Amino acid sequence: MVLERQGEPLVERELPDPQPGAGELLLRVHACGVCRTDLHVVDGDLTEPKLPLVPGHQIVGEVAAAGTGAGRFEVGARVGVPWLGWTCGECRYCRAGRENLCERARFTGYDVDGGYAELAAADERYCFAVPDGYGDLAAAPLLCAGLIGYRSLRMCGEGRLRIGLYGFGASAHIVCQVALHRGHEIHAVTRPGDEQGQRFALELGAAWAGDSAGASAVCDPPEDPLLDAAIVFAPIGGLVPLALRAVRPGGSVVCAGIHMSDIPSFPYSILWGERVVRSVANLTRRDGEELLALAPRVPVRTEVSEYPLERANEALDDLRAGRIARGGAVLRVARSAAWLGDGAT
Ligand SMILES: [Zn+2]
Ligand SMILES: [Zn+2]
């Protein structure tokens, strides 16, 4: 499924098979998660994608072939491919262990073709082993929703915290489980009227769930009312001052999305008290290794809405409209004769 021009639906195309370059794997894609970032790419909020582009950066696939020098995974191994597709290893950020900020980074499904396809090529150094016990569909949301949530959780600070999650989609439903496992308390803030989302959050163990209109209630209870930190997953700038008002002195508001509408001006008094507003950008390979080791131990159970690959536009539309009530959308890629080596049998 190909993005030919931003602002237009994806189109189904028959492309030449990708050839794995040196150090790359050729993957038969089994599943690919649909991320809000894909929407930002399709809709044109992120302005510099490769075009035409195969989107998708939560790829679960099987190694079909290895390029020259690639030997980290056996043919047949199941691997995951995240957003971070390549880094330079030389810039100030790479040298400082902050490859997520690499000045020349290439991103899967943005600078290089991604996983809304039957085949994909990926640099093996940025691929992860997928933990046993997760099916292909269940594993896909770990690869971005999970990773970004996990990195955001780390930015919330130390100790047992009361954390507000603003927006309860694919990322929040994973980070909620990890946070509870670590002894944090979760308050879930959904879009107004999203009672299904609130029920989902409570089922997962949130201490409180309500909508952004009622979120001031978080600040109101009589004893020890405030949040220690907040993670804003929804791409709505207006939530930042709302979250700041709910966070105690010294607390952080972590913006987890790659794009957000403008943040309205707010009085300095709600930032005062050493409150912090920060973003989380991309991921490091270490984030991925840590989360994929931790997920089975929690254990994180992902919920997914499944769409066949050719209905990718429907999945994107449902995500845009907030129609995915529980967890994440994932494309299932059916086994096809176009796959290498399938012709004989
Ligand atoms: Zn770099
Ligand atoms: Zn993503």
Side-chain angles (χ1 to χ4, degrees), residues 1 10 34 116 307-317 331:
M1 295 299 289
L10 308 182
V34 176
Y116 288 19
Y307 300 77
L309 173 63
E310 59 273 20
R311 279 166 51 198
N313 287 310
E314 192 181 319
L316 290 166
D317 287 344
L331 304 179

Side-chain angles (χ1 to χ4, degrees), residues 130-153:
V130 175
D132 297 337
Y134 285 88
D136 297 330
L137 294 166
L142 295 173
L143 292 163
C144 185
L147 281 183
I148 295 299
Y150 177 71
R151 189 172 174 84
S152 303
L153 182 62

Side-chain angles (χ1 to χ4, degrees), residues 35-38 57-58 83 143-145 148:
C35 176
R36 184 165 292 280
T37 297
D38 302 336
H57 58 267
Q58 305 185 86
W83 171 244
L143 292 163
C144 185
I148 295 299

Side-chain angles (χ1 to χ4, degrees), residues 16 22 55 73 107 145 170 271 284 287 296 310:
F73 298 97
F107 298 109
L271 183 61
T284 64
D287 296 328
E310 59 273 20

Side-chain angles (χ1 to χ4, degrees), residues 9 68 97 185 209 257 267 303 323:
T68 322
E185 179 181 309
E303 292 212 21
R323 283 192 293 261

Side-chain angles (χ1 to χ4, degrees), residues 199-320:
R199 266 200 310 278
F200 184 36
L202 293 172
E203 278 171 37
L204 288 175
W208 181 92
D211 63 29
S212 44
S216 55
V218 178
C219 320
D220 274 348
E223 82 292 348
D224 194 24
L226 294 174
L227 302 174
D228 299 300
I231 306 174
V232 181
F233 290 112
I236 301 164
L239 291 173
V240 172
L242 193 76
L244 263 177
R245 286 180 196 279
V247 164
R248 71 171 71 255
S252 291
V253 174
V254 181
C255 302
I258 195 169
H259 175 83
M260 183 181 258
S261 57
D262 286 355
I263 300 171
S265 75
F266 53 81
Y268 180 60
S269 58
I270 66 173
L271 183 61
W272 172 249
E274 301 195 340
R275 292 173 176 89
V276 174
V277 176
R278 67 169 302 160
S279 64
V280 156
N282 314 316
L283 67 135
T284 64
R285 282 172 278 182
R286 199 185 124 198
D287 296 328
E289 301 293 351
E290 284 182 12
L291 177 71
L292 292 173
L294 177 63
R297 296 206 309 266
V298 171
V300 172
R301 296 185 203 287
T302 57
E303 292 212 21
V304 303
S305 299
E306 175 184 340
Y307 300 77
L309 173 63
E310 59 273 20
R311 279 166 51 198
N313 287 310
E314 192 181 319
L316 290 166
D317 287 344
D318 287 350
L319 180 60
R320 191 186 289 106

Side-chain angles (χ1 to χ4, degrees), residues 36-49:
R36 184 165 292 280
T37 297
D38 302 336
L39 269 189
H40 294 312
V41 173
V42 170
D43 292 348
D45 299 319
L46 301 180
T47 55
E48 296 178 327

